[in-house]
Amino acid sequence: MFRKYLLISILLTTLLFCGCGVDIHQVNVPEASVVYDINGRPIKGLAEENRISIGFEEIPDSFKAAIIAVEDKNFYEHHGVDISGILRAFVLNIKAGKITAGGSTITQQTAKTLFLSNERTWPRKIKELFYALELERSYSKDEILTMYCNTIYFGHGAYGLEVAARTFFNKNAQDLTAEESALLAGLPNAPSLYDPYINPEKAKARQGLVLQRMVEEGYISENDREAIISRELKYQQADYVLGEAPYFIAMVRDYLSKKYGERMVYQGGMKIYTTLDLDMQKAANRAYKEGMKEREADVQAALVALDATNGHIRALIGGRDFASSNYNRVFSERQPGSTFKPFLYSLAIEWGLTEAYMMKCEKVEFKLPTGDTYEPNDYGDEKYHWKEFTIKEALMISDNVIAVRVNDMLGAQHVADHAEKFGFKGIQPILSLPLGSKEVTPLDMAAAYNVFANQGIYSEPIYVLKVVDQDGKVLEESRTTQRQVISPENAYIVSDMLKGVMGPGGTGANLQKTVGRTAAGKTGTTDDFNDAWFVGFTPQLCCAVWVGYDQGRNVNLVGSVAAGPIWANFIRDASVSLPDLDFEKPANVNLINVCLDTGLISSESCPRRSRMAFIEGTEPKEICYYHTFNLDWLLKDAATP
Ligand SMILES: [Zn+2]
Ligand SMILES: [Zn+2]
């Protein structure tokens, strides 16, 4: 008994002591965090998080009853604090040696949200009591309840009832039905646990508990409860003003929420410095809109662009419409089709093959370990070309048979191992590997191609550079992680082959005019036409675009038609302020004109020629004899020193 009196006197003394000198009008109003782009411009989204205050009249009676029944049944009777509840909590906390139990009234919770940080310390807990008493003295019960409804957190970034109503039921608070009010009133207690989008059963059970309390407190009858609980809840998110980069902002928010908690992210006044470039993001949005305007409503697309020099994510689009589907498809695993071929040819170059190496596209049978046979063939009407190509042209026209033959020649295990150097995981050493048998994400693809753009260096993609708290303290800072995975010569030669894709005869030839600057890239279309890709780069910027259905339905479009134009329009617009650079040629690489029909040094008589890159000493030694038997020409050439 003595102990209890001692506790009460300690509590009251501290309460009075802490109360001295605290001014209720100096409120520490929660401050939204701001996300900045690479140039320090705020990215719309997190800062403009809908924070909509409504008046007492707009809060439906059903919600008032529900929230009071479940959070603070004596709200209209007490003086801001529930003394017996506090004492109970106090004793429990003393026993536990730390603050665990709450015993918070609606007034205390409002005080906490409005004036205090989220830490659980004794002085903070006592200040909360003081502020609660002050609130009760300065405001009416209805005003306090209104403040409470406008500030409590319901999950999914929704602070306040109005935003919650829009977030979960796509309507205004005043239009909420009794079942919706009861559902929402259950959320503030544990927003993540009862998240209706993630745990609909738990949310429903919590609604049941709220309704039970409402019966106990006489707000509704048992019959009402049964009627209300039987009604179906339809969750739907409203269209917000989402800003220029909703998927990027969501990615940043999810990352930070996991690390620091949602309250800190939404109300902690953090400054979040990211890698996004708003101008490039706008270019991406325009290219995306233009490229998708003819597509059916449920065809999706993802775009991600990286700075070639450091792996910074400069632009990102995760889908068609964030409001209807916030799933970020930049992280979606899809079959890459022929966009996987460059990794094969990179190993071929590493093993001493040259761009001019000739191989025949013809019917070939491979015996598989299973006893089956595998016969690769090209897309389109003709299964085979029945002729020889240089491997540069094989990549330019995206020949499947030659890719599989080269894979067989190098050994699929070696090719798989080589591909994993570019950041991929779990590549199976199978013959169809270069045709894109392993599903990969658009982000992985952009990071992998970035190796070619940046002289053989792999850069880990990053998007948050620095996080600073309200007081200016740096909470974290990221730097680029890089490793050399292929030689600069190899990167240059593969880039040269991929430049060929954009040239006459290449599968991306229709895009070069749009891009209007030095660029390299590759189309990809899966066997079943479910996925269309274009991945390509300039020396400054690398971008992957994927187009398809979430459920893997046939889009009936090839990469160059569906994904290519989005990529090309983006690269053009995103690069306006960048100089038109060529890839940096290593000193020991020579450029030679080669006859595409023989793989030999071309003469003026060769009808199809291409400039190819060779590591010094690997150049073809002979002039194309097939097209060149003009003695005069040979003599003239020999006479030139
Ligand atoms: Zn072929
Ligand atoms: Zn020739």
Side-chain angles (χ1 to χ4, degrees), residues 234 280 353 366 475 599 634:
K234 280 211 178 92
M280 291 190 182
L353 268 59
F366 294 98
L475 300 177
L634 271 179

Side-chain angles (χ1 to χ4, degrees), residues 23-33 47 51 53 109-118 131 135 139 147 150-152 159 263-270 470-471:
D23 178 4
I24 191 145
H25 300 294
Q26 272 187 342
V27 293
N28 179 20
V29 176
E31 195 186 319
S33 298
R51 185 186 297 277
S53 287
Q109 291 183 47
T110 309
K112 192 168 100 178
T113 312
L114 286 179
F115 307 119
L116 297 160
S117 71
N118 209 17
Y131 279 119
L135 274 179
Y139 299 97
M147 282 185 227
N150 280 328
T151 51
I152 37 165
Y159 285 91
R263 192 187 158 99
M264 177 81 168
V265 173
Y266 286 104
Q267 305 204 301
M270 291 169 133
Q470 204 161 16
D471 305 320

Side-chain angles (χ1 to χ4, degrees), residues 345 357-364 378 382-391 393-403 405-406 505 595-599 607-609 626-627:
Y345 290 112
Y357 184 84
M358 303 288 291
M359 257 205 158
K360 192 167 182 186
C361 172
E362 62 190 341
K363 187 174 154 78
V364 235
D378 290 330
E382 301 293 331
K383 283 177 138 185
Y384 312 103
H385 288 89
W386 299 107
K387 62 174 278 200
E388 285 200 348
F389 291 104
T390 62
I391 58 172
E393 194 175 11
L395 182 61
M396 281 166 56
I397 62 171
S398 204
D399 196 282
N400 286 344
V401 179
I402 291 174
R405 294 189 79 172
V406 172
C595 171
L596 283 174
D597 297 312
T598 61
R608 302 187 326 110
R609 287 167 286 176
Y626 187 79
H627 298 110

Side-chain angles (χ1 to χ4, degrees), residues 176-340:
L176 288 169
T177 62
E179 62 271 21
E180 291 163 349
S181 285
L183 185 284
L184 291 181
L187 302 182
N189 181 264
S192 316
L193 180 64
Y194 302 126
D195 185 332
Y197 288 116
I198 294 166
N199 295 318
E201 296 86 13
K202 287 204 171 98
K204 183 72 191 169
R206 178 79 183 159
Q207 180 212 32
L209 182 120
V210 172
L211 290 168
Q212 188 54 48
R213 291 274 165 83
M214 291 175 80
V215 174
E216 288 162 16
E217 295 305 314
Y219 288 111
I220 53 171
S221 70
E222 178 57 26
N223 283 346
D224 294 337
R225 189 190 70 84
E226 278 168 25
I228 295 169
I229 205 162
S230 68
R231 287 184 217 135
E232 199 195 337
L233 292 161
K234 280 211 178 92
Y235 303 116
Q236 199 192 348
Q237 190 154 13
D239 288 356
Y240 285 108
V241 180
L242 292 161
E244 299 283 356
Y247 291 93
F248 184 83
I249 290 286
M251 181 170 82
V252 170
R253 182 197 64 204
D254 291 349
Y255 163 73
L256 295 173
S257 295
K258 272 199 197 99
K259 206 163 166 183
Y260 303 101
E262 286 188 331
R263 192 187 158 99
M264 177 81 168
V265 173
Y266 286 104
Q267 305 204 301
M270 291 169 133
K271 288 187 166 62
I272 302 143
Y273 297 94
T274 71
T275 59
L276 197 86
D277 182 311
L278 266 178
D279 292 331
M280 291 190 182
Q281 181 66 27
K282 285 174 189 167
N285 291 343
R286 279 196 304 273
Y288 190 94
K289 213 171 149 191
E290 172 67 24
M292 297 297 285
K293 71 179 181 203
E294 312 265 284
R295 305 274 170 260
E296 272 178 59
D298 51 348
V299 175
Q300 289 291 344
L303 176 152
V304 58
L306 304 175
D307 186 310
T309 61
N310 54 21
H312 285 186
I313 295 181
R314 292 284 185 244
L316 183 147
I317 299 176
R320 198 86 177 254
D321 173 27
F322 187 81
S324 61
S325 165
N326 60 11
Y327 175 56
N328 190 345
R329 290 158 188 84
V330 159
F331 298 107
S332 174
E333 295 209 321
R334 310 292 308 206
Q335 287 204 353
S338 296
T339 54
F340 217 73

Side-chain angles (χ1 to χ4, degrees), residues 50-56 58-59 146-147 149-151 159-163 166 173:
N50 290 264
R51 185 186 297 277
I52 305 159
S53 287
I54 51 177
F56 185 75
E58 291 166 276
I59 303 169
T146 309
M147 282 185 227
C149 290
N150 280 328
T151 51
Y159 285 91
L161 181 64
E162 180 63 25
V163 180
R166 296 183 194 194

